[in-house]
Amino acid sequence: MKDARPCSIADTLALVGEKYALLVLREVFLGVRRFDRIARNTGAPRDVLTARLRRLVDAGILEKVAYSERPRRFEYRPTDAGRDLHPVLLTLMAWGDRHLTDEPPTVIEHSCGATLRPVVVCGCCGEEARGDTLTPHVRAPGWTTAGPVGA
Amino acid sequence: MKDARPCSIADTLALVGEKYALLVLREVFLGVRRFDRIARNTGAPRDVLTARLRRLVDAGILEKVAYSERPRRFEYRPTDAGRDLHPVLLTLMAWGDRHLTDEPPTVIEHSCGATLRPVVVCGCCGEEARGDTLTPHVRAPGWTTAGPVGA
DNA sequence: TGGAGTGAGTTGGAAAACTGGACCTTCACT
DNA sequence: AGTGAAGGTCCAGTTTTCCAACTCACTCCA
C-alpha cells in the first residue's frame, strides 16, 4: 500500500478495517465488554480477538479496565475516540438494513421516540450530504482527484 | 462466523469489508473508474482488484459498463445501492481527519459553500445521533442485546 | 480436599487470503 | 515492425486467519 493515495479513509481502515474489528466495536457499543462474550457474539476466533483488542487499545479506541483484582479480570470500554466511530457503524447498519434485509435484526430507538434512520448531513447547513452536492479537493502534494501528478 | 449475532453491519462488511473494497469505492466516487487507475491509486494488486470488482458488481454496488467496443474496455460506475455507501466513506474519513491527522489529505466542499463536516443525525427529528441518545432493540430471534438467550 | 467452571488468553498446524511480478491479448500509434 | 496502454490472468511465496486444544489462575460448591 505504499504508493497509494494518502487518505484518511485508508488510515482509518488500517486501524479498524481488519476482519472482526468493527464487530468488536459493535459489541462494545451494545454494552458487551468482556472477552468471552465478545468472542461468542462476533464469532471471532479467540486469538484473532486478542490481536484485535490489543490493536484497538493501542490505537486509543478502546481502553482495558480491570473490573476485578482477584481474580484479575478486564473489560474493554470505548474511549472518546472510540465513541466517535459510532457513526461509522450506524451508516454501515443503515446500508445493510436497506439493501440486504427486510427485517432488521436490530433497530435503534432515538431519544426523540422514533426508530433511528441515520442521515449524514453537512454540519454547517444541516442539509443531507448527497454525492451530487459534494466536491472533493485533494490537498495531498503530488496528487490530484484523478491520481498522482504526471502518471 | 456461523454462530455470530445476526446483524446488518456484519452482512454489509461481508460485501465491502475485505481489504481494498472501500478504497475502490472511494476512487469510484472520486471519478476514477478504470481498472488501471484504480489499481494505481489504491495500491491494490491487480488480481485482488479483479476479485474485488467482481464481488462489488455481483453485489449490485458497481456496474461494469463498456466505454469502448474496439478494443473492448470497461469502466465501473456506482449503482444507486453503491451511492448509498457514500455516507460510510464520509464517516470513516471524518474520523481519520479528526483523530489521525492535522492536515486532511482531502477536503470536501458542500454545495452550501462550507467545507463538509459530516454529522450523523436522526432522520426523524434532525438531532445528532450520539451514543447516549440511542437505545438498541435486538429483534433477532434467540438473541438479546447482551448475547444469545440461555448462554 | 476435590472437582467443576470461568475468564483470558497462548500454541500449533491447516486453510485461505494477500503480495509482487511476469505474462497475455487486443488494439492504436509511428 | 516496434512500442505502449488497457484490462486482465497466473504463479510462487508470504502473511493471516481459522479452529481446536491447552494453560493458568482463580472462584464456587460440597
CSV table of all heavy atoms in Angstrom, one decimal, chain C residues 1-3 12-13 18 21 24-26 29-30, chain D residues 1-2 5-7 10 12-13 18-19 28-30:
chain,number,residue,atom,x,y,z
C,1,DT,P,-6.5,-29.9,51.9
C,1,DT,OP1,-5.4,-30.5,51.2
C,1,DT,OP2,-7.4,-28.9,51.5
C,1,DT,O5',-7.4,-31.1,52.5
C,1,DT,C5',-7.4,-32.5,52.1
C,1,DT,C4',-8.3,-32.7,50.9
C,1,DT,O4',-9.5,-31.9,51.0
C,1,DT,C3',-7.7,-32.3,49.6
C,1,DT,O3',-7.3,-33.5,48.8
C,1,DT,C2',-8.7,-31.5,48.8
C,1,DT,C1',-9.9,-31.5,49.8
C,1,DT,N1,-10.6,-30.2,50.0
C,1,DT,C2,-12.0,-30.1,49.8
C,1,DT,O2,-12.6,-31.1,49.5
C,1,DT,N3,-12.5,-28.9,50.1
C,1,DT,C4,-11.8,-27.7,50.4
C,1,DT,O4,-12.4,-26.7,50.6
C,1,DT,C5,-10.4,-27.9,50.5
C,1,DT,C7,-9.6,-26.7,50.9
C,1,DT,C6,-9.9,-29.1,50.3
C,2,DG,P,-7.7,-33.9,47.4
C,2,DG,OP1,-7.1,-35.2,47.0
C,2,DG,OP2,-7.7,-32.7,46.5
C,2,DG,O5',-9.3,-34.1,47.8
C,2,DG,C5',-10.0,-35.1,47.2
C,2,DG,C4',-11.0,-34.5,46.2
C,2,DG,O4',-11.4,-33.2,46.6
C,2,DG,C3',-10.4,-34.3,44.8
C,2,DG,O3',-11.1,-35.2,43.9
C,2,DG,C2',-10.6,-32.9,44.4
C,2,DG,C1',-11.6,-32.4,45.4
C,2,DG,N9,-11.5,-31.0,45.8
C,2,DG,C8,-10.4,-30.3,46.2
C,2,DG,N7,-10.6,-29.0,46.5
C,2,DG,C5,-12.0,-28.9,46.4
C,2,DG,C6,-12.9,-27.8,46.6
C,2,DG,O6,-12.6,-26.7,46.9
C,2,DG,N1,-14.2,-28.2,46.3
C,2,DG,C2,-14.7,-29.4,45.9
C,2,DG,N2,-16.0,-29.5,45.7
C,2,DG,N3,-13.9,-30.4,45.7
C,2,DG,C4,-12.6,-30.1,45.9
C,3,DG,P,-10.8,-35.3,42.4
C,3,DG,OP1,-11.1,-36.6,41.9
C,3,DG,OP2,-9.5,-34.6,42.1
C,3,DG,O5',-12.0,-34.4,41.8
C,3,DG,C5',-13.3,-34.5,42.2
C,3,DG,C4',-14.2,-33.5,41.6
C,3,DG,O4',-14.1,-32.2,42.2
C,3,DG,C3',-13.9,-33.3,40.1
C,3,DG,O3',-15.1,-33.4,39.3
C,3,DG,C2',-13.3,-31.9,40.0
C,3,DG,C1',-13.9,-31.2,41.2
C,3,DG,N9,-13.1,-30.2,41.9
C,3,DG,C8,-11.7,-30.2,42.1
C,3,DG,N7,-11.3,-29.1,42.7
C,3,DG,C5,-12.4,-28.3,42.8
C,3,DG,C6,-12.5,-27.0,43.3
C,3,DG,O6,-11.7,-26.3,43.8
C,3,DG,N1,-13.9,-26.6,43.3
C,3,DG,C2,-14.9,-27.3,42.7
C,3,DG,N2,-16.1,-26.7,42.8
C,3,DG,N3,-14.8,-28.5,42.2
C,3,DG,C4,-13.5,-29.0,42.3
C,12,DG,P,4.0,-24.2,20.1
C,12,DG,OP1,4.9,-25.2,20.7
C,12,DG,OP2,4.5,-23.0,19.4
C,12,DG,O5',3.2,-25.0,19.0
C,12,DG,C5',2.2,-26.0,19.4
C,12,DG,C4',1.5,-26.6,18.2
C,12,DG,O4',0.3,-25.9,17.9
C,12,DG,C3',2.4,-26.5,16.9
C,12,DG,O3',2.2,-27.7,16.2
C,12,DG,C2',1.8,-25.3,16.2
C,12,DG,C1',0.3,-25.3,16.6
C,12,DG,N9,-0.4,-24.0,16.6
C,12,DG,C8,0.2,-22.8,16.9
C,12,DG,N7,-0.7,-21.8,16.9
C,12,DG,C5,-1.9,-22.5,16.6
C,12,DG,C6,-3.2,-21.9,16.4
C,12,DG,O6,-3.6,-20.7,16.5
C,12,DG,N1,-4.2,-22.9,16.1
C,12,DG,C2,-3.9,-24.2,16.0
C,12,DG,N2,-4.9,-25.0,15.7
C,12,DG,N3,-2.7,-24.8,16.1
C,12,DG,C4,-1.7,-23.8,16.4
C,13,DG,P,3.1,-28.0,14.9
C,13,DG,OP1,3.7,-29.3,15.2
C,13,DG,OP2,4.0,-26.8,14.6
C,13,DG,O5',2.1,-28.2,13.8
C,13,DG,C5',1.0,-29.2,14.0
C,13,DG,C4',-0.1,-28.8,13.1
C,13,DG,O4',-0.7,-27.5,13.4
C,13,DG,C3',0.3,-28.7,11.6
C,13,DG,O3',-0.6,-29.5,10.8
C,13,DG,C2',0.2,-27.3,11.2
C,13,DG,C1',-0.9,-26.8,12.2
C,13,DG,N9,-0.9,-25.4,12.5
C,13,DG,C8,0.1,-24.6,12.9
C,13,DG,N7,-0.2,-23.4,13.1
C,13,DG,C5,-1.6,-23.3,12.9
C,13,DG,C6,-2.5,-22.3,13.0
C,13,DG,O6,-2.3,-21.1,13.4
C,13,DG,N1,-3.8,-22.7,12.8
C,13,DG,C2,-4.2,-23.9,12.4
C,13,DG,N2,-5.4,-24.1,12.2
C,13,DG,N3,-3.3,-25.0,12.3
C,13,DG,C4,-2.0,-24.6,12.6
C,18,DC,P,-7.9,-10.9,0.9
C,18,DC,OP1,-8.4,-9.7,1.5
C,18,DC,OP2,-8.4,-11.3,-0.5
C,18,DC,O5',-6.3,-10.6,0.8
C,18,DC,C5',-5.6,-10.5,2.0
C,18,DC,C4',-4.1,-10.3,1.6
C,18,DC,O4',-3.6,-11.6,1.2
C,18,DC,C3',-3.8,-9.3,0.5
C,18,DC,O3',-2.8,-8.4,1.1
C,18,DC,C2',-3.2,-10.2,-0.6
C,18,DC,C1',-2.7,-11.4,0.1
C,18,DC,N1,-2.7,-12.7,-0.7
C,18,DC,C2,-1.4,-13.3,-0.9
C,18,DC,O2,-0.4,-12.8,-0.4
C,18,DC,N3,-1.4,-14.5,-1.6
C,18,DC,C4,-2.5,-15.0,-2.0
C,18,DC,N4,-2.4,-16.1,-2.7
C,18,DC,C5,-3.8,-14.4,-1.8
C,18,DC,C6,-3.8,-13.2,-1.2
C,21,DG,P,7.5,-5.8,-7.4
C,21,DG,OP1,8.9,-5.3,-7.2
C,21,DG,OP2,6.4,-4.8,-7.8
C,21,DG,O5',7.5,-6.9,-8.6
C,21,DG,C5',8.2,-8.2,-8.3
C,21,DG,C4',7.8,-9.2,-9.4
C,21,DG,O4',6.5,-9.6,-9.3
C,21,DG,C3',8.0,-8.6,-10.8
C,21,DG,O3',8.9,-9.4,-11.6
C,21,DG,C2',6.5,-8.6,-11.4
C,21,DG,C1',5.9,-9.7,-10.6
C,21,DG,N9,4.4,-9.6,-10.4
C,21,DG,C8,3.8,-8.5,-10.0
C,21,DG,N7,2.5,-8.6,-10.0
C,21,DG,C5,2.3,-9.9,-10.4
C,21,DG,C6,1.1,-10.7,-10.6
C,21,DG,O6,-0.1,-10.3,-10.4
C,21,DG,N1,1.4,-12.0,-11.1
C,21,DG,C2,2.6,-12.5,-11.3
C,21,DG,N2,2.7,-13.7,-11.8
C,21,DG,N3,3.7,-11.8,-11.1
C,21,DG,C4,3.5,-10.5,-10.7
C,24,DC,P,3.4,-15.3,-22.4
C,24,DC,OP1,3.5,-16.7,-22.8
C,24,DC,OP2,4.3,-14.3,-23.0
C,24,DC,O5',1.9,-14.7,-22.6
C,24,DC,C5',0.9,-15.3,-21.8
C,24,DC,C4',-0.5,-14.6,-22.2
C,24,DC,O4',-0.6,-13.4,-21.4
C,24,DC,C3',-0.6,-14.3,-23.6
C,24,DC,O3',-1.8,-14.8,-24.2
C,24,DC,C2',-0.7,-12.7,-23.6
C,24,DC,C1',-1.2,-12.4,-22.2
C,24,DC,N1,-0.7,-11.1,-21.7
C,24,DC,C2,-1.7,-10.2,-21.3
C,24,DC,O2,-2.8,-10.4,-21.4
C,24,DC,N3,-1.2,-9.0,-20.8
C,24,DC,C4,0.1,-8.7,-20.7
C,24,DC,N4,0.4,-7.5,-20.2
C,24,DC,C5,1.1,-9.7,-21.1
C,24,DC,C6,0.6,-10.9,-21.6
C,25,DT,P,-1.9,-14.9,-25.8
C,25,DT,OP1,-2.6,-16.2,-26.1
C,25,DT,OP2,-0.7,-14.5,-26.5
C,25,DT,O5',-3.0,-13.8,-26.1
C,25,DT,C5',-4.2,-13.8,-25.4
C,25,DT,C4',-5.0,-12.5,-25.6
C,25,DT,O4',-4.3,-11.4,-24.8
C,25,DT,C3',-5.0,-12.0,-27.1
C,25,DT,O3',-6.3,-11.9,-27.5
C,25,DT,C2',-4.3,-10.6,-27.0
C,25,DT,C1',-4.4,-10.2,-25.6
C,25,DT,N1,-3.3,-9.4,-25.0
C,25,DT,C2,-3.6,-8.2,-24.4
C,25,DT,O2,-4.7,-7.8,-24.3
C,25,DT,N3,-2.5,-7.5,-24.0
C,25,DT,C4,-1.2,-7.8,-24.1
C,25,DT,O4,-0.3,-7.1,-23.7
C,25,DT,C5,-0.9,-9.1,-24.8
C,25,DT,C7,0.5,-9.5,-25.0
C,25,DT,C6,-2.0,-9.8,-25.2
C,26,DT,P,-6.6,-11.7,-29.1
C,26,DT,OP1,-7.7,-12.6,-29.4
C,26,DT,OP2,-5.3,-11.8,-29.9
C,26,DT,O5',-7.1,-10.2,-29.2
C,26,DT,C5',-8.0,-9.7,-28.2
C,26,DT,C4',-8.0,-8.2,-28.3
C,26,DT,O4',-6.8,-7.7,-27.6
C,26,DT,C3',-7.9,-7.6,-29.7
C,26,DT,O3',-9.0,-6.8,-29.9
C,26,DT,C2',-6.5,-6.9,-29.8
C,26,DT,C1',-6.3,-6.6,-28.3
C,26,DT,N1,-4.9,-6.4,-27.9
C,26,DT,C2,-4.5,-5.4,-27.1
C,26,DT,O2,-5.3,-4.5,-26.7
C,26,DT,N3,-3.2,-5.3,-26.8
C,26,DT,C4,-2.2,-6.2,-27.1
C,26,DT,O4,-1.0,-6.1,-26.8
C,26,DT,C5,-2.6,-7.3,-28.0
C,26,DT,C7,-1.7,-8.3,-28.4
C,26,DT,C6,-3.9,-7.4,-28.3
C,29,DC,P,-4.9,6.1,-32.9
C,29,DC,OP1,-5.5,7.4,-32.4
C,29,DC,OP2,-5.3,5.6,-34.2
C,29,DC,O5',-3.3,6.2,-32.8
C,29,DC,C5',-2.7,6.2,-31.5
C,29,DC,C4',-1.2,6.3,-31.7
C,29,DC,O4',-0.6,5.0,-31.9
C,29,DC,C3',-0.7,7.2,-32.9
C,29,DC,O3',0.4,8.0,-32.4
C,29,DC,C2',-0.2,6.1,-33.9
C,29,DC,C1',0.3,5.0,-33.0
C,29,DC,N1,0.2,3.6,-33.5
C,29,DC,C2,1.3,2.8,-33.4
C,29,DC,O2,2.3,3.2,-32.8
C,29,DC,N3,1.3,1.5,-33.9
C,29,DC,C4,0.2,1.1,-34.5
C,29,DC,N4,0.2,-0.1,-35.0
C,29,DC,C5,-1.0,1.9,-34.7
C,29,DC,C6,-0.9,3.2,-34.2
C,30,DT,P,1.0,9.1,-33.4
C,30,DT,OP1,1.4,10.2,-32.6
C,30,DT,OP2,0.1,9.3,-34.5
C,30,DT,O5',2.3,8.4,-34.0
C,30,DT,C5',3.3,7.9,-33.1
C,30,DT,C4',4.5,7.3,-33.9
C,30,DT,O4',4.3,5.9,-34.2
C,30,DT,C3',4.8,8.1,-35.2
C,30,DT,O3',6.1,8.3,-35.3
C,30,DT,C2',4.3,7.1,-36.3
C,30,DT,C1',4.5,5.7,-35.6
C,30,DT,N1,3.7,4.6,-36.1
C,30,DT,C2,4.2,3.4,-36.2
C,30,DT,O2,5.4,3.1,-35.8
C,30,DT,N3,3.4,2.4,-36.6
C,30,DT,C4,2.1,2.6,-37.0
C,30,DT,O4,1.4,1.6,-37.4
C,30,DT,C5,1.6,3.9,-36.9
C,30,DT,C7,0.2,4.2,-37.4
C,30,DT,C6,2.4,4.9,-36.5
D,1,DA,P,6.6,-7.4,-39.2
D,1,DA,OP1,6.7,-7.9,-37.9
D,1,DA,OP2,5.5,-7.5,-40.1
D,1,DA,O5',7.5,-6.2,-39.7
D,1,DA,C5',8.9,-6.3,-39.4
D,1,DA,C4',9.3,-5.2,-38.3
D,1,DA,O4',8.4,-4.1,-38.3
D,1,DA,C3',9.2,-5.8,-36.9
D,1,DA,O3',10.4,-5.4,-36.2
D,1,DA,C2',8.0,-5.2,-36.3
D,1,DA,C1',7.8,-3.9,-37.0
D,1,DA,N9,6.4,-3.5,-37.2
D,1,DA,C8,5.4,-4.3,-37.6
D,1,DA,N7,4.2,-3.6,-37.8
D,1,DA,C5,4.6,-2.3,-37.4
D,1,DA,C6,3.8,-1.1,-37.3
D,1,DA,N6,2.5,-1.1,-37.6
D,1,DA,N1,4.5,0.0,-36.9
D,1,DA,C2,5.8,-0.1,-36.7
D,1,DA,N3,6.6,-1.1,-36.7
D,1,DA,C4,5.9,-2.2,-37.1
D,2,DG,P,10.7,-5.9,-34.7
D,2,DG,OP1,12.1,-6.1,-34.6
D,2,DG,OP2,9.8,-7.1,-34.4
D,2,DG,O5',10.3,-4.7,-33.9
D,2,DG,C5',10.8,-3.4,-34.3
D,2,DG,C4',10.3,-2.3,-33.4
D,2,DG,O4',9.0,-1.9,-33.8
D,2,DG,C3',10.2,-2.8,-31.9
D,2,DG,O3',10.7,-1.8,-31.0
D,2,DG,C2',8.7,-3.0,-31.7
D,2,DG,C1',8.1,-1.9,-32.6
D,2,DG,N9,6.7,-2.2,-33.1
D,2,DG,C8,6.2,-3.4,-33.5
D,2,DG,N7,5.0,-3.4,-33.9
D,2,DG,C5,4.6,-2.0,-33.7
D,2,DG,C6,3.4,-1.4,-33.9
D,2,DG,O6,2.3,-1.8,-34.3
D,2,DG,N1,3.5,0.0,-33.6
D,2,DG,C2,4.6,0.6,-33.1
D,2,DG,N2,4.5,1.9,-32.8
D,2,DG,N3,5.8,0.0,-32.9
D,2,DG,C4,5.7,-1.3,-33.2
D,5,DA,P,2.5,3.6,-21.8
D,5,DA,OP1,2.7,5.0,-21.2
D,5,DA,OP2,3.2,2.5,-21.1
D,5,DA,O5',1.0,3.4,-21.8
D,5,DA,C5',0.2,4.1,-22.7
D,5,DA,C4',-1.2,3.5,-22.8
D,5,DA,O4',-1.1,2.3,-23.6
D,5,DA,C3',-1.7,3.0,-21.4
D,5,DA,O3',-3.1,3.5,-21.4
D,5,DA,C2',-1.6,1.5,-21.5
D,5,DA,C1',-1.8,1.2,-22.9
D,5,DA,N9,-1.1,0.0,-23.4
D,5,DA,C8,0.2,-0.4,-23.1
D,5,DA,N7,0.5,-1.6,-23.6
D,5,DA,C5,-0.6,-2.0,-24.2
D,5,DA,C6,-0.9,-3.2,-25.0
D,5,DA,N6,-0.1,-4.1,-25.2
D,5,DA,N1,-2.2,-3.2,-25.5
D,5,DA,C2,-3.0,-2.2,-25.3
D,5,DA,N3,-2.9,-1.1,-24.6
D,5,DA,C4,-1.6,-1.0,-24.1
D,6,DA,P,-3.8,3.5,-19.9
D,6,DA,OP1,-4.4,4.8,-19.7
D,6,DA,OP2,-2.9,2.9,-18.9
D,6,DA,O5',-5.0,2.5,-20.1
D,6,DA,C5',-5.6,2.3,-21.4
D,6,DA,C4',-6.5,1.1,-21.4
D,6,DA,O4',-5.7,-0.1,-21.9
D,6,DA,C3',-7.0,0.7,-20.0
D,6,DA,O3',-8.4,0.3,-20.2
D,6,DA,C2',-6.2,-0.6,-19.7
D,6,DA,C1',-5.8,-1.1,-21.0
D,6,DA,N9,-4.5,-1.8,-21.1
D,6,DA,C8,-3.3,-1.4,-20.5
D,6,DA,N7,-2.3,-2.3,-20.8
D,6,DA,C5,-2.9,-3.3,-21.5
D,6,DA,C6,-2.4,-4.4,-22.1
D,6,DA,N6,-1.1,-4.8,-22.0
D,6,DA,N1,-3.2,-5.2,-22.8
D,6,DA,C2,-4.5,-4.8,-22.9
D,6,DA,N3,-5.1,-3.8,-22.5
D,6,DA,C4,-4.2,-3.0,-21.8
D,7,DG,P,-9.3,0.0,-19.0
D,7,DG,OP1,-10.7,0.3,-19.4
D,7,DG,OP2,-8.7,0.6,-17.8
D,7,DG,O5',-9.2,-1.6,-18.8
D,7,DG,C5',-9.8,-2.4,-19.8
D,7,DG,C4',-9.4,-3.8,-19.5
D,7,DG,O4',-8.0,-4.0,-19.7
D,7,DG,C3',-9.6,-4.3,-18.0
D,7,DG,O3',-10.3,-5.5,-17.9
D,7,DG,C2',-8.2,-4.4,-17.5
D,7,DG,C1',-7.5,-4.9,-18.7
D,7,DG,N9,-6.1,-4.8,-18.7
D,7,DG,C8,-5.3,-3.9,-18.1
D,7,DG,N7,-4.0,-4.1,-18.2
D,7,DG,C5,-4.0,-5.3,-18.9
D,7,DG,C6,-2.8,-6.1,-19.3
D,7,DG,O6,-1.6,-5.9,-19.1
D,7,DG,N1,-3.2,-7.3,-20.0
D,7,DG,C2,-4.5,-7.6,-20.2
D,7,DG,N2,-4.7,-8.8,-20.9
D,7,DG,N3,-5.6,-6.9,-19.9
D,7,DG,C4,-5.2,-5.8,-19.2
D,10,DC,P,-6.1,-17.8,-15.4
D,10,DC,OP1,-6.4,-18.9,-16.4
D,10,DC,OP2,-7.0,-17.6,-14.2
D,10,DC,O5',-4.6,-17.9,-15.0
D,10,DC,C5',-3.6,-17.5,-15.9
D,10,DC,C4',-2.2,-17.9,-15.4
D,10,DC,O4',-1.6,-16.7,-14.8
D,10,DC,C3',-2.2,-18.9,-14.2
D,10,DC,O3',-1.1,-19.8,-14.4
D,10,DC,C2',-2.0,-18.1,-13.0
D,10,DC,C1',-1.2,-16.9,-13.5
D,10,DC,N1,-1.5,-15.6,-12.8
D,10,DC,C2,-0.5,-14.8,-12.4
D,10,DC,O2,0.7,-15.1,-12.7
D,10,DC,N3,-0.7,-13.6,-11.8
D,10,DC,C4,-2.0,-13.2,-11.5
D,10,DC,N4,-2.2,-12.1,-10.9
D,10,DC,C5,-3.1,-14.1,-11.9
D,10,DC,C6,-2.8,-15.3,-12.5
D,12,DA,P,4.1,-22.1,-9.6
D,12,DA,OP1,5.0,-22.9,-10.4
D,12,DA,OP2,2.9,-22.6,-9.0
D,12,DA,O5',5.0,-21.3,-8.6
D,12,DA,C5',6.1,-20.4,-9.0
D,12,DA,C4',6.6,-19.7,-7.8
D,12,DA,O4',5.6,-18.6,-7.4
D,12,DA,C3',6.8,-20.5,-6.6
D,12,DA,O3',8.0,-20.0,-5.9
D,12,DA,C2',5.5,-20.3,-5.7
D,12,DA,C1',5.2,-18.8,-6.1
D,12,DA,N9,3.8,-18.5,-6.0
D,12,DA,C8,2.7,-19.4,-6.4
D,12,DA,N7,1.5,-18.8,-6.2
D,12,DA,C5,1.8,-17.5,-5.8
D,12,DA,C6,1.0,-16.4,-5.5
D,12,DA,N6,-0.3,-16.4,-5.6
D,12,DA,N1,1.7,-15.2,-5.1
D,12,DA,C2,3.0,-15.2,-5.1
D,12,DA,N3,3.9,-16.2,-5.3
D,12,DA,C4,3.2,-17.3,-5.7
D,13,DG,P,8.5,-20.7,-4.6
D,13,DG,OP1,10.0,-20.8,-4.7
D,13,DG,OP2,7.7,-21.9,-4.3
D,13,DG,O5',8.2,-19.6,-3.5
D,13,DG,C5',8.6,-18.2,-3.8
D,13,DG,C4',8.0,-17.3,-2.7
D,13,DG,O4',6.6,-17.2,-3.0
D,13,DG,C3',8.1,-17.9,-1.3
D,13,DG,O3',8.7,-16.9,-0.5
D,13,DG,C2',6.7,-18.2,-0.9
D,13,DG,C1',5.9,-17.3,-1.7
D,13,DG,N9,4.5,-17.7,-2.0
D,13,DG,C8,4.1,-19.0,-2.5
D,13,DG,N7,2.8,-19.0,-2.6
D,13,DG,C5,2.3,-17.8,-2.3
D,13,DG,C6,1.0,-17.3,-2.3
D,13,DG,O6,0.0,-17.8,-2.6
D,13,DG,N1,1.0,-15.9,-1.9
D,13,DG,C2,2.1,-15.2,-1.5
D,13,DG,N2,1.9,-13.9,-1.1
D,13,DG,N3,3.3,-15.7,-1.5
D,13,DG,C4,3.4,-17.0,-1.9
D,18,DC,P,-10.9,-15.4,10.4
D,18,DC,OP1,-12.1,-15.2,9.7
D,18,DC,OP2,-10.6,-14.7,11.7
D,18,DC,O5',-10.7,-17.0,10.6
D,18,DC,C5',-10.9,-17.9,9.5
D,18,DC,C4',-10.7,-19.3,9.9
D,18,DC,O4',-9.3,-19.4,10.3
D,18,DC,C3',-11.5,-19.7,11.1
D,18,DC,O3',-12.3,-20.8,10.8
D,18,DC,C2',-10.4,-20.2,12.2
D,18,DC,C1',-9.2,-20.4,11.3
D,18,DC,N1,-7.9,-20.0,12.0
D,18,DC,C2,-6.9,-21.0,12.1
D,18,DC,O2,-7.1,-22.1,11.6
D,18,DC,N3,-5.7,-20.7,12.7
D,18,DC,C4,-5.5,-19.5,13.2
D,18,DC,N4,-4.3,-19.2,13.8
D,18,DC,C5,-6.5,-18.5,13.1
D,18,DC,C6,-7.7,-18.8,12.5
D,19,DC,P,-13.6,-21.2,11.7
D,19,DC,OP1,-14.6,-21.8,10.8
D,19,DC,OP2,-13.9,-20.0,12.5
D,19,DC,O5',-13.1,-22.3,12.7
D,19,DC,C5',-12.5,-23.5,12.1
D,19,DC,C4',-11.7,-24.2,13.2
D,19,DC,O4',-10.4,-23.6,13.4
D,19,DC,C3',-12.4,-24.3,14.5
D,19,DC,O3',-12.8,-25.6,14.8
D,19,DC,C2',-11.4,-23.7,15.5
D,19,DC,C1',-10.1,-23.8,14.8
D,19,DC,N1,-9.0,-22.8,15.1
D,19,DC,C2,-7.7,-23.2,15.4
D,19,DC,O2,-7.4,-24.4,15.2
D,19,DC,N3,-6.8,-22.3,15.7
D,19,DC,C4,-7.1,-21.0,15.9
D,19,DC,N4,-6.2,-20.2,16.2
D,19,DC,C5,-8.5,-20.6,15.7
D,19,DC,C6,-9.4,-21.5,15.3
D,28,DC,P,-16.7,-16.6,44.6
D,28,DC,OP1,-17.4,-15.3,44.5
D,28,DC,OP2,-15.9,-16.9,45.8
D,28,DC,O5',-17.6,-17.8,44.3
D,28,DC,C5',-17.8,-18.3,43.0
D,28,DC,C4',-18.4,-19.7,43.0
D,28,DC,O4',-17.4,-20.7,42.9
D,28,DC,C3',-19.2,-20.0,44.3
D,28,DC,O3',-20.5,-20.6,43.9
D,28,DC,C2',-18.3,-21.0,45.0
D,28,DC,C1',-17.6,-21.7,43.9
D,28,DC,N1,-16.3,-22.2,44.2
D,28,DC,C2,-15.9,-23.5,43.7
D,28,DC,O2,-16.7,-24.2,43.0
D,28,DC,N3,-14.6,-24.0,44.0
D,28,DC,C4,-13.8,-23.2,44.7
D,28,DC,N4,-12.6,-23.7,44.9
D,28,DC,C5,-14.1,-21.9,45.2
D,28,DC,C6,-15.4,-21.5,44.9
D,29,DC,P,-21.6,-20.8,45.1
D,29,DC,OP1,-22.9,-20.4,44.4
D,29,DC,OP2,-21.2,-20.1,46.3
D,29,DC,O5',-21.6,-22.3,45.3
D,29,DC,C5',-21.5,-23.2,44.1
D,29,DC,C4',-21.3,-24.7,44.6
D,29,DC,O4',-19.9,-25.0,44.7
D,29,DC,C3',-21.9,-24.9,46.0
D,29,DC,O3',-22.8,-26.0,45.9
D,29,DC,C2',-20.7,-25.1,46.9
D,29,DC,C1',-19.7,-25.7,45.9
D,29,DC,N1,-18.3,-25.4,46.3
D,29,DC,C2,-17.3,-26.4,46.1
D,29,DC,O2,-17.6,-27.4,45.6
D,29,DC,N3,-16.0,-26.1,46.5
D,29,DC,C4,-15.7,-25.0,47.1
D,29,DC,N4,-14.5,-24.8,47.4
D,29,DC,C5,-16.7,-23.9,47.3
D,29,DC,C6,-18.0,-24.2,46.9
D,30,DA,P,-23.6,-26.5,47.3
D,30,DA,OP1,-25.0,-26.7,46.8
D,30,DA,OP2,-23.3,-25.5,48.4
D,30,DA,O5',-22.9,-27.9,47.6
D,30,DA,C5',-22.6,-28.8,46.6
D,30,DA,C4',-21.8,-29.9,47.1
D,30,DA,O4',-20.4,-29.5,47.3
D,30,DA,C3',-22.2,-30.5,48.5
D,30,DA,O3',-22.2,-31.9,48.5
D,30,DA,C2',-21.2,-29.9,49.5
D,30,DA,C1',-20.0,-29.8,48.6
D,30,DA,N9,-19.0,-28.8,49.0
D,30,DA,C8,-19.3,-27.5,49.4
D,30,DA,N7,-18.2,-26.8,49.7
D,30,DA,C5,-17.2,-27.7,49.6
D,30,DA,C6,-15.8,-27.6,49.8
D,30,DA,N6,-15.2,-26.5,50.2
D,30,DA,N1,-15.0,-28.7,49.5
D,30,DA,C2,-15.6,-29.8,49.1
D,30,DA,N3,-16.9,-30.0,48.9
D,30,DA,C4,-17.7,-28.9,49.1
